[in-house]
Amino acid sequence: MTTWAVHGPAVRDEARDALERAEAHLRRLQHPEGFWWGELESNATITAEHVFLLHALGIADDDARRRLANELLAVQGDDGGWRVWYSGPADLSTTAEAYYALRLCGLPATDPRMARARDVVLAGGGVNGTRFFTKLWLAVLGRYPWSALPVLPPEMILLPDRAPMSPYRFASWARGTFVALMIVLSRHPTFPQPVGLDELFLEPPGRGPAQRPKTPGPWTPVLSRSLWLARRYNRRPIAPLRRIAEARVARWIVERQEADGAWGGIQPPWVYSILALHALGWPLDHPVIARGLAGFDGAFRLDLDGGERLRIQACLSPIWDTALAAVAVADAGAAPGDPALDAAAGWLLGKEVSRYGDWHHVPRRGRPGGWSFEFENENYPDTDDTAEVLLALRRAGYPTSHPAIRRGVEWLLAMQSGDGGWGSFDVDNDRRVMTQIPLCDFGEVIDPPTEDVTAHVVEALVECGLPRRHPAVRRGVEFLWRTQRDDGSWWGRWGVNHVYGTGAALPALAVAGEDMGDPRVRRAVEWLAGHQNEDGGWGESVLSYRDPGWIGRGDSTASQTSWALLGLAAAAPGHPAVDGGLAFLSRTQRPDGSWDEPWFTGTGFPMDFMINYHLYRLVFPVTALGRALR
């Protein structure tokens, strides 16, 4: 007997009580301005690289060093290493970065905690085996040879938008990073630190294996040769062309700085843009650099343990959080006119992007009308946030004829890719050759259409008044059917993993009018039911992105259980597995109405950069309980 079966008929009464407590807790978290905002927790590299930036620029003070060190030590694993996600294995590059950051903050190499970390790094092959970005930071700090790193010539900025290797062939997050690195990797800004790192090398720095991409392909040898030629050219570039290119890069960077000082609303292009401009000779008190540095003292900064720990968030998610929370409150029973929905909708309307951004360079169609992820991000709206905001506005009672909804729908239609799906930030950003560049050994560098984003967009388009037979809707539905796996599930790009993808696809197909008796739907339902844990919940390990044996398997979590319930509520509301999920959520709820969830169920880059959205453990259970009980 499963641990939830003993609840019998009372399970739904208990679930209603759980929903009431959870909804009340969620309402209490709404800010007076109308938004919701939870922490976006990632990993120690963000803290370590903040230490690196402060030391490179010579602006690290003793108090910041102490509190940043306390944060790094607080998240160190018992084995001495640092990991990318909760319960994951120690990661070589993350551990090496955390180790050197602690050394810069004053911890001696003889400290027992440092000794354990050092053992992890050496067992993993030493610093020469770390990823490109770790070596890049060490080169900036004078601890790794620039000659062992590739060169990205600034002249690449002069390529036409649609040209192979143009910056616009990179995904938005990679584009902002690599454009800045065109300066960093050609100018080699170096700020030597007095603290050494010899103890983490098994051989001399730079003598390790050649840089290889995560996904080598037929173009990798050619691209490797190209980078070698770029290094030779960088020694004696064509001076007038180099000046033009560097000026264009600087202007490109400045034009994309946000009001809060960040670039793209995320840490990598932010820190590398500061380094790039400083390498060009811009002083630290230049308004652009000063605004960039000041931004780290704003919303991105988290003071923990009474101020004893300082954590820098990699990104902020208030628009995403607010849209999800508003939909959750509505699914819990709130009607248009509810003060919480009105306040959220009003705040969201004020965040609509009204300018053209990089998304318009390829394929140069559409007008502004989307929403982004962060408090301040006018350059990079994304389709996933836009879809969720449109759903929130509709739940708040806004008609499909509302100008903001019409603009959002039109923008989403312009962002549909040629295969019928939607990527997050760009159209047809799927050139696999970009992934074969040797320095692309971390994360993702393209933004192809994905199942989860496409599902959210299809759902929003229909909810916002597009007929189910509209060509864009039909092409989106066909994309979903085409990407369904043989086992009945869908892959999840931005959430872990097949539970997320399947929990997104089934509601979209239902809203789009697909037959819920279709054998393909029944296969998806049975996949969800077949992966329910004995405790009634669902869970899936981050390892499922690499090891198929982990697909649909893992410790039960509140968010993943909720995703499974959303899929079942749309396709099979009477399935016995639904009561199991309701019982799990009721039984594991905390007295304050929330749930514990240390697991990382959000995805930045599969396996490489994982996220624990601290509101996921609340907004998705409220949505799932509301829909399942309805």
Side-chain angles (χ1 to χ4, degrees), residues 370-430:
W371 280 264
S372 58
F373 195 64
E374 304 86 355
F375 283 111
E376 304 290 346
N377 189 348
E378 278 281 301
N379 290 291
Y380 296 104
D382 69 272
T383 59
D384 217 5
D385 275 276
T386 299
E388 202 64 37
V389 169
L390 292 176
L391 290 174
L393 294 176
R394 292 289 292 131
R395 297 292 200 279
Y398 284 73
T400 59
S401 59
H402 189 280
I405 291 181
R406 293 206 332 257
R407 286 191 295 268
V409 168
E410 290 173 4
W411 186 74
L412 287 176
L413 292 176
M415 295 297 289
Q416 188 170 28
S417 290
D419 61 4
W422 278 266
S424 295
F425 295 90
D426 291 291
V427 177
D428 292 322
N429 192 267
D430 54 3

Side-chain angles (χ1 to χ4, degrees), residues 2 13 40 62 70 137 258 295 313 357 364 372 389 441 483 565 577 617:
T2 58
D13 290 335
L40 187 153
D62 290 341
N70 287 343
W137 271 111
E258 300 294 344
Q313 295 180 90
R364 291 200 176 276
S372 58
V389 169
D441 63 353
T483 54
L565 284 175
R617 66 195 67 176

Side-chain angles (χ1 to χ4, degrees), residues 359-584:
W359 55 270
H360 193 254
H361 281 256
V362 178
R364 291 200 176 276
R365 65 172 183 246
R367 294 179 295 179
W371 280 264
S372 58
F373 195 64
E374 304 86 355
F375 283 111
E376 304 290 346
N377 189 348
E378 278 281 301
N379 290 291
Y380 296 104
D382 69 272
T383 59
D384 217 5
D385 275 276
T386 299
E388 202 64 37
V389 169
L390 292 176
L391 290 174
L393 294 176
R394 292 289 292 131
R395 297 292 200 279
Y398 284 73
T400 59
S401 59
H402 189 280
I405 291 181
R406 293 206 332 257
R407 286 191 295 268
V409 168
E410 290 173 4
W411 186 74
L412 287 176
L413 292 176
M415 295 297 289
Q416 188 170 28
S417 290
D419 61 4
W422 278 266
S424 295
F425 295 90
D426 291 291
V427 177
D428 292 322
N429 192 267
D430 54 3
R431 301 299 192 273
R432 294 289 170 185
V433 64
M434 308 303 289
T435 70
Q436 299 175 35
I437 302 173
L439 57 81
C440 296
D441 63 353
F442 170 82
E444 303 293 330
V445 296
I446 58 174
D447 183 17
T450 60
E451 298 88 319
D452 45 3
V453 175
T454 299
H456 294 157
V457 173
V458 166
E459 186 177 2
L461 291 178
V462 177
E463 293 276 5
C464 289
L466 255 66
R468 291 169 170 173
R469 303 308 305 175
H470 189 284
V473 174
R474 298 320 308 164
R475 291 175 62 223
V477 167
E478 290 164 4
F479 176 89
L480 290 176
W481 287 132
R482 193 166 61 249
T483 54
Q484 186 181 26
R485 284 167 40 102
D486 291 341
D487 63 8
S489 69
W490 281 267
W491 183 71
R493 167 62 180 86
W494 296 100
V496 183
N497 173 353
H498 293 257
V499 176
Y500 182 72
T502 307
L506 288 175
L509 293 170
V511 168
E514 295 299 285
D515 179 10
M516 293 296 98
D518 186 298
R520 295 169 294 184
V521 171
R522 307 326 301 166
R523 197 162 68 246
V525 167
E526 292 311 310
W527 183 87
L528 285 172
H531 288 82
Q532 187 173 28
N533 288 331
E534 284 293 314
D535 60 9
W538 280 264
E540 186 168 2
S541 170
V542 175
L543 294 170
S544 63
Y545 282 113
R546 180 174 295 163
D547 182 355
W550 282 100
I551 290 176
R553 291 180 51 225
D555 296 321
S556 294
T557 69
S559 59
Q560 290 169 317
T561 297
S562 300
W563 299 336
L565 284 175
L566 290 175
L568 292 174
H575 198 288
V578 172
D579 278 356
L582 296 177
F584 172 82

Side-chain angles (χ1 to χ4, degrees), residues 60-397:
D61 61 71
D62 290 341
D63 183 61
R65 284 155 37 101
R66 177 182 62 82
R67 293 188 297 130
L68 288 163
N70 287 343
E71 166 62 17
L72 288 171
L73 292 171
V75 297
Q76 184 179 20
D78 293 338
D79 60 357
W82 281 263
R83 51 216 76 246
V84 178
W85 69 88
Y86 176 80
S87 77
D91 179 71
L92 171 62
S93 298
T94 305
T95 301
E97 291 190 29
Y99 178 96
Y100 193 51
L102 287 170
R103 292 284 286 116
L104 291 176
C105 288
L107 264 72
T110 55
D111 186 293
R113 296 164 294 187
M114 302 296 282
R116 292 200 304 274
R118 187 164 58 248
D119 290 343
V120 171
V121 174
L122 295 178
V127 169
N128 280 327
T130 59
R131 61 176 173 250
F132 161 73
F133 286 106
T134 301
K135 296 171 182 174
L136 171 63
W137 271 111
L138 295 179
V140 169
L141 298 170
R143 293 297 160 187
Y144 198 81
W146 284 105
S147 60
L149 294 177
V151 168
L152 285 180
E155 287 82 354
M156 289 177 65
I157 197 71
L158 304 176
L159 292 170
D161 294 350
R162 296 173 182 269
M165 310 311 294
S166 158
Y168 294 98
R169 293 304 186 187
F170 286 108
S172 64
W173 57 85
R175 183 183 314 130
T177 298
F178 286 129
V179 168
L181 288 183
M182 292 176 190
I183 300 297
V184 176
L185 288 172
S186 59
R187 288 236 170 183
H188 300 163
T190 308
F191 308 92
Q193 301 299 306
V195 178
L197 195 61
D198 292 346
E199 68 268 25
L200 291 193
F201 286 90
L202 292 174
E203 61 276 302
R207 296 284 182 86
Q211 208 76 43
R212 288 181 57 80
K214 278 179 60 177
T215 54
W219 285 100
T220 297
V222 175
L223 294 169
S224 298
R225 174 71 175 175
S226 298
L227 291 178
W228 179 80
L229 293 173
R231 183 181 293 115
R232 294 197 62 181
Y233 170 76
N234 196 57
R235 295 172 190 156
R236 299 184 66 180
I238 301 172
L241 188 62
R242 176 57 58 93
R243 285 195 296 270
I244 292 171
E246 289 187 336
R248 179 79 66 86
V249 170
R251 185 167 71 249
W252 193 97
I253 291 173
V254 171
E255 289 173 349
R256 284 158 179 77
Q257 187 177 33
E258 300 294 344
D260 61 359
W263 277 268
I266 52 177
Q267 185 258 12
W270 189 352
V271 295
Y272 297 126
S273 292
I274 291 173
L275 283 176
L277 295 177
H278 194 44
L280 289 173
W282 295 32
L284 296 185
D285 60 359
H286 187 285
V288 173
I289 295 182
R291 189 163 57 246
L293 292 173
F296 285 114
D297 291 325
F300 285 80
R301 173 196 186 108
L302 287 179
D303 292 302
L304 306 173
D305 287 352
E308 288 301 301
R309 291 163 54 194
L310 173 57
R311 178 184 295 171
I312 302 297
Q313 295 180 90
C315 186
L316 308 178
S317 57
I319 293 178
W320 182 242
D321 291 342
T322 301
L324 290 174
V327 169
V329 169
D331 282 330
D338 183 285
L341 293 181
D342 284 348
W347 185 82
L348 287 169
L349 287 173
K351 293 297 181 180
E352 182 186 1
V353 173
S354 58
R355 60 177 289 181
Y356 289 93
D358 282 1
W359 55 270
H360 193 254
H361 281 256
V362 178
R364 291 200 176 276
R365 65 172 183 246
R367 294 179 295 179
W371 280 264
S372 58
F373 195 64
E374 304 86 355
F375 283 111
E376 304 290 346
N377 189 348
E378 278 281 301
N379 290 291
Y380 296 104
D382 69 272
T383 59
D384 217 5
D385 275 276
T386 299
E388 202 64 37
V389 169
L390 292 176
L391 290 174
L393 294 176
R394 292 289 292 131
R395 297 292 200 279

